[in-house]
Amino acid sequence: MKKKVFQLLVDNTSGVLTRISGLFARRGYNIESITAGTTTDPNYTRITIVASGDDVILEQIEKQLSKLIDVRDIRELEPEESVYRELALVKVEAGEKERENIMSIANIFRANIIDVNPDSLIIEITGNQSKVDALLKMLEGKKILELARTGIAGLGRGTDKVVNLDDLKD
Amino acid sequence: MNGAEAIVKCLLEEKVDIIYGYSGVAIAPFYDAVGETDIKQVLIRTEQNAAHCASGYARISGKVGVCAVTSGPGATNLITGIATAYADSIPLVCITGQVNSELIGSDVFQEADITGAAESFVKYSYLIRDVNDIPRIFKEAFHIASTGRKGPVLIDIPIDIQQAEIRKFAYPEKVEMRTYKPTVEGNAAQVKKVVKEVAKAKRPIICVGGGVHLSGAMAEIRRFVKDNCIPVVSTMMGIGVMASEDPYYFGMVGNNGRPYANRALNESDLLLMVGARVADRAVNRPDLITENKVLIHIDVDPAEIGKNVGPTIPLVGDIKHIFKKINEYEDEVDLIHERTEWINTLKKYKAEMIEKRPVIDTEKFVDPKSFLQTLSRKLPSDAIYIADVGQNQIWSCRWHLVRNGRFLTSGGMGTMGYSIPAAIGAKMADSQKKVVAVMGDGAFQMSMMELSTMRQYGTNVSVIVFNNGYLGMVREYQHYALDDRYNMVELHNTPKLDKIAEAYDMKYLRASSQKEAEALINEIAKKDECVLCEVVVDPLDLAK
């Protein structure tokens, strides 16, 4: 199994997310994460999808997504030419005794503590997926009460492959 | 002008002359506007069949088939018809009425999220929110349905939008969709590569699929075959691209196909897949197909290429355009001797491997093989033949001889009950042609209500029911795979077909022996009339 990150520019229509997620569901493709948000032009949404599968499946995913009429642009974000970031919020059980220790772990990862309660705290971490995974690994042994990961958002590096939104217009 | 009138104007712009459908309050304004025009309205008896009718009409006329039904159950009933068309890439525009815009999402009477429900079976769908979008949306819908890989497009229209006044009606002259630009012309370099590879092949073969019909490329393919001396096999949807008795044609491939067609495919050194998906029913192990041969895959849908099998040379584009280009290369074929030998080998395989049929008691039953062979010889050579789904479909694929007519069936979805409504659509598309629908007693009972539609509109179709009191195809599966444990396949109390014919006020003929079968065929083959034929076949007969 390989992973690929796809960046899509799609029409911001109602139902566009259903069309995309429905395609993955009915064809049995694996979707690891999907994030979506509007671009500087509210007519378009940028979506980052992390998908997994063998080469044939990954090629089919790209082809089938390209066929969707709402999809205006699709490209692979290759690791060496792109940056990925994910946000994760981790609520950890932390009484007085453990608080210091957890905070120092968070510090190592340059993560922020954004909420503190007598018996828990919430860590906010941003980074690529492996950084988030590494933090979670360090927290093994602590009691994670709740975890919310956004899935990654990504962009290609540099200006070579920037899609001008005005060029997308019909 | 209100929304409904605007829609009808769009349909007139698209030269729509017939609409299949079912009425209801949520679509009433639309039909009210249709009534003011010369567009023919055909009221079917259940919505699913509106889509099948439109499908039969589209396949014969080459135009986009149109159906329109009401909201809620009307729309959901349509889904199987839409899915059937989608699986066979048949161009349809399906219009559904919807509840008042403001009420959408509140579960009011006859509300269904049809664009959501049909999502995976449509090429695209629209829910119209603004009456002023109607001209653009219809222009796009007909464009999407009829270009590239064809397919159904759904348009859902709330009743208030049908009633709202449109500011100004202007039908767009052309469609500009940045995200939808199907490739028509094949890449010139790839075309050249194909020509070069074909020239080198000693044992080439072409496998034609439904895409050849959809592209209207029959003449181009036939010319290519002759010019290059290349044998042809077909998928189920590709039947009729070549006449059945053409010396270059070696039958249908696949599980239910001819063993010698499969052998030809396997022993070829070059395979041209043309407008075929390499689906499971046609090619059992697509991963093995490229082991000993060059595979050239030509399809208008780039996603089909490489989906089931990785080709040596992919070529995306419209088949008619591509073969016109290929045919322009007029090099002499050097390997004509090898190819003639190859064809002779295939002829030998055909003679050796032709299936042996169990002997049928022809005093008690009609033998489907000789029935279908005799029927197809007696029919006008350009007859339109529609096979349903089940054993009748497999028999039809094997023994109906296509000359210069058409062979239609629900190949991808395998929807039982397809044949009667599709025959109605086909006959309405070309009333001069003889139209025959062949089905089993199972499929017949799924759409026999449409006999009433046939009578209402004077649509002359020969309806032939192979009656064996079983869902024969499944019974056959249970015979081979489940030690003859027959569950859910016995059809008892099938209504007496003579009484059905009488109830629908149509002619009835019956044959339960070979002799009667011949008389029946002679009676119906040339006549343009509405007739229900009951042909009694052996319940234990097998298609394989």
Side-chain angles (χ1 to χ4, degrees):
Chain A
M1 286 267 265
K2 284 189 185 167
K3 260 190 211 178
K4 266 193 187 177
V5 180
F6 294 105
Q7 182 188 61
L8 286 77
L9 276 163
V10 303
D11 283 349
N12 188 9
T13 53
S14 65
V16 65
L17 273 177
T18 315
R19 283 182 174 130
I20 290 169
S21 57
L23 176 75
F24 276 79
R26 72 175 172 272
R27 292 196 180 268
Y29 302 149
N30 289 316
I31 196 164
E32 306 237 324
S33 75
I34 178 166
T35 62
T38 51
T39 61
T40 47
D41 182 337
N43 290 315
Y44 306 122
T45 297
R46 186 184 303 280
I47 297 179
T48 310
I49 294 177
V50 183
S52 61
D54 59 23
D55 287 333
V56 178
I57 296 286
L58 289 168
E59 189 190 324
Q60 270 294 307
I61 290 174
E62 190 168 350
K63 281 179 167 175
Q64 296 287 355
L65 283 171
S66 308
K67 262 173 81 170
L68 293 178
I69 288 164
D70 294 325
V71 174
R72 294 199 166 235
D73 188 70
I74 173 168
R75 57 195 59 204
E76 188 193 344
L77 289 176
E78 291 172 44
E80 54 276 19
E81 289 170 26
S82 318
V83 289
Y84 312 140
R85 287 294 180 269
E86 178 178 27
L87 172 78
L89 301 176
V90 196
K91 186 186 284 178
V92 194
E93 190 175 78
E96 210 174 331
K97 249 192 352 210
E98 289 184 299
R99 195 174 297 139
E100 192 102 350
N101 176 240
I102 293 170
M103 284 170 73
S104 68
I105 293 171
N107 256 333
I108 298 168
F109 286 89
R110 298 181 198 284
N112 301 318
I113 308 298
I114 54 171
D115 182 62
V116 184
N117 271 285
D119 51 0
S120 73
L121 49 80
I122 296 178
I123 304 170
E124 172 208 45
I125 181 168
T126 314
N128 58 24
Q129 284 186 303
S130 56
K131 181 178 171 187
V132 176
D133 291 340
L135 170 72
L136 293 174
K137 186 145 183 41
M138 287 306 291
L139 293 173
E140 273 173 18
K142 320 284 178 209
K143 191 167 183 191
I144 295 176
L145 299 168
E146 280 175 320
L147 169 66
R149 296 179 74 153
T150 58
I152 67 163
L155 286 178
R157 294 179 190 272
T159 51
D160 289 356
K161 291 180 183 167
V162 170
V163 179
N164 185 351
L165 293 179
D166 290 333
D167 294 343
L168 294 180
K169 298 226 161 74
D170 287 328
Chain B
M1 182 190 289
N2 69 19
E5 289 160 340
I7 296 166
V8 172
K9 198 139 189 243
C10 296
L11 298 180
L12 289 171
E13 292 276 354
E14 293 292 340
K15 312 241 169 346
V16 172
D17 50 14
I18 192 160
I19 297 173
Y20 300 93
Y22 212 96
S23 199
V25 171
I27 196 72
F30 167 73
Y31 276 119
D32 191 35
V34 174
E36 298 297 311
T37 69
D38 291 334
I39 298 176
K40 185 171 176 179
Q41 310 176 25
V42 178
L43 171 64
I44 39 69
R45 297 303 187 261
T46 183
E47 287 89 349
Q48 177 181 322
N49 292 333
H52 291 334
C53 280
S55 163
Y57 177 84
R59 292 173 81 169
I60 295 306
S61 68
K63 292 163 69 175
V64 174
V66 179
C67 53
V69 302
T70 195
S71 65
T76 54
N77 269 350
L78 196 63
I79 291 179
T80 303
I82 294 176
T84 305
Y86 186 69
D88 290 340
S89 310
I90 310 297
L92 301 185
V93 166
C94 307
I95 301 166
T96 50
Q98 181 54 279
V99 300
N100 200 303
S101 302
E102 283 177 13
L103 299 173
I104 289 177
S106 58
D107 302 327
V108 290
F109 180 68
Q110 290 195 332
E111 183 195 349
D113 168 23
I114 191 61
T115 50
E119 173 54 32
S120 57
F121 309 115
V122 293
K123 200 167 163 188
Y124 199 62
S125 60
Y126 297 90
L127 167 56
I128 303 187
R129 294 285 192 172
D130 181 344
V131 64
N132 297 300
D133 288 338
I134 285 175
R136 174 186 59 82
I137 286 177
F138 273 80
K139 182 78 188 175
E140 287 181 5
F142 276 86
H143 177 64
I144 293 170
S146 61
T147 53
R149 179 175 185 174
K150 298 171 184 180
V153 175
L154 173 70
I155 306 175
D156 197 24
I157 311 170
I159 185 168
D160 56 307
I161 305 287
Q162 295 173 47
Q163 290 161 330
E165 283 299 310
I166 185 168
R167 271 199 304 277
K168 178 173 164 280
F169 183 93
Y171 202 61
E173 294 232 331
K174 48 180 198 167
V175 195
E176 276 299 331
M177 297 176 75
R178 195 188 170 279
T179 56
Y180 178 73
K181 286 192 176 132
T183 310
V184 176
E185 304 289 343
N187 177 297
Q190 292 293 94
V191 170
K192 211 169 170 188
K193 253 197 220 170
V194 169
V195 172
K196 266 183 148 173
E197 279 298 334
V198 170
K200 280 194 294 188
K202 289 180 180 152
R203 300 186 310 281
I205 198 161
I206 308 176
C207 179
V208 291
V212 177
H213 288 300
L214 289 163
S215 161
M218 243 156 69
E220 286 74 11
I221 293 282
R222 287 179 178 191
R223 187 184 146 195
F224 174 76
V225 167
K226 258 185 119 180
D227 285 359
N228 293 278
C229 190
I230 302 181
V232 186
V233 291
S234 77
T235 66
M236 185 180 283
M237 295 300 289
I239 290 178
V241 170
M242 302 295 290
S244 302
E245 291 180 317
D246 189 298
Y248 291 101
Y249 182 61
F250 290 91
M252 185 177 98
V253 295
N255 286 346
N256 296 309
R258 303 286 200 174
Y260 50 86
N262 292 328
R263 185 159 178 195
L265 204 76
N266 291 335
E267 293 189 5
S268 63
D269 62 354
L270 176 131
L271 167 59
L272 276 144
M273 272 278 171
V274 184
R277 292 184 293 148
V278 202
D280 56 330
R281 248 184 153 196
V283 178
N284 210 351
R285 291 282 308 273
D287 50 326
L288 298 180
I289 208 171
T290 44
E291 269 188 352
N292 58 351
K293 62 175 71 40
V294 174
L295 174 65
I296 297 168
H297 197 171
I298 304 177
D299 204 291
V300 72
D301 181 359
E304 280 308 331
I305 297 177
K307 186 174 90 180
N308 297 325
V309 58
T312 327
I313 306 176
L315 180 47
V316 178
D318 174 61
I319 295 163
K320 193 182 176 93
H321 281 81
I322 287 174
F323 275 85
K324 263 193 179 152
K325 266 194 208 162
I326 292 179
N327 287 341
E328 279 166 18
Y329 289 81
E330 278 184 347
D331 305 344
E332 283 291 305
V333 184
D334 296 332
L335 300 166
I336 202 89
H337 173 70
E338 283 86 344
R339 289 191 188 167
T340 315
E341 235 166 52
W342 164 233
I343 286 176
N344 287 337
T345 311
L346 297 185
K347 282 184 182 154
K348 206 180 86 205
Y349 290 166
K350 184 175 172 178
E352 286 167 10
M353 295 172 80
I354 200 139
E355 305 83 346
K356 298 192 177 40
R357 289 262 309 151
V359 181
I360 303 270
D361 180 353
T362 52
E363 296 296 311
K364 258 169 78 187
F365 300 113
V366 176
D367 176 43
K369 177 179 177 178
S370 53
F371 179 86
L372 290 173
Q373 285 180 336
T374 314
L375 174 68
S376 50
R377 283 190 202 288
K378 294 264 167 89
L379 285 172
S381 68
D382 60 356
I384 298 164
Y385 182 103
I386 297 137
D388 215 286
V389 170
Q391 285 178 316
N392 67 85
Q393 186 185 40
I394 309 304
W395 288 331
S396 295
C397 288
R398 217 168 278 170
W399 298 314
H400 173 66
L401 302 169
V402 186
R403 284 174 284 170
N404 50 353
R406 285 288 303 271
F407 177 88
L408 308 183
T409 194
S410 161
M413 188 57 67
T415 306
M416 283 175 69
Y418 177 76
S419 63
I420 292 180
I424 292 173
K427 183 70 184 179
M428 287 181 176
D430 191 346
S431 61
Q432 298 305 308
K433 298 270 164 69
K434 171 82 187 174
V435 177
V436 181
V438 173
M439 68 217 72
D441 43 333
F444 175 70
Q445 289 182 82
M446 279 199 183
S447 56
M448 69 179 185
M449 72 291 263
E450 303 304 340
L451 295 180
S452 166
T453 315
M454 278 168 51
R455 302 302 288 144
Q456 178 172 350
Y457 297 95
T459 315
N460 290 340
V461 173
S462 297
V463 176
I464 298 176
V465 182
F466 281 148
N467 198 350
N468 63 0
Y470 270 115
L471 301 177
M473 195 72 187
V474 185
R475 189 205 65 82
E476 180 167 339
Y477 170 76
Q478 291 168 343
H479 166 69
Y480 283 121
L482 299 172
D483 294 329
D484 290 311
R485 291 191 301 279
Y486 297 155
N487 290 297
M488 275 314 232
V489 290
E490 287 172 54
L491 287 166
H492 291 310
N493 297 72
T494 291
K496 293 192 172 56
L497 298 196
D498 55 335
K499 298 251 168 78
I500 294 289
E502 192 190 343
Y504 285 108
D505 190 23
M506 61 196 280
K507 186 170 163 178
Y508 167 81
L509 294 168
R510 181 173 194 274
S512 64
S513 70
Q514 214 51 33
K515 229 173 119 196
E516 288 173 355
E518 270 159 43
L520 184 149
I521 290 169
N522 286 333
E523 175 69 27
I524 65 163
K526 294 282 192 288
K527 269 192 209 156
D528 189 46
E529 65 180 345
C530 214
V531 56
L532 177 61
C533 306
E534 180 176 11
V535 176
V536 181
V537 296
D538 185 352
L540 299 180
D541 199 356
L542 300 167
K544 270 204 176 155

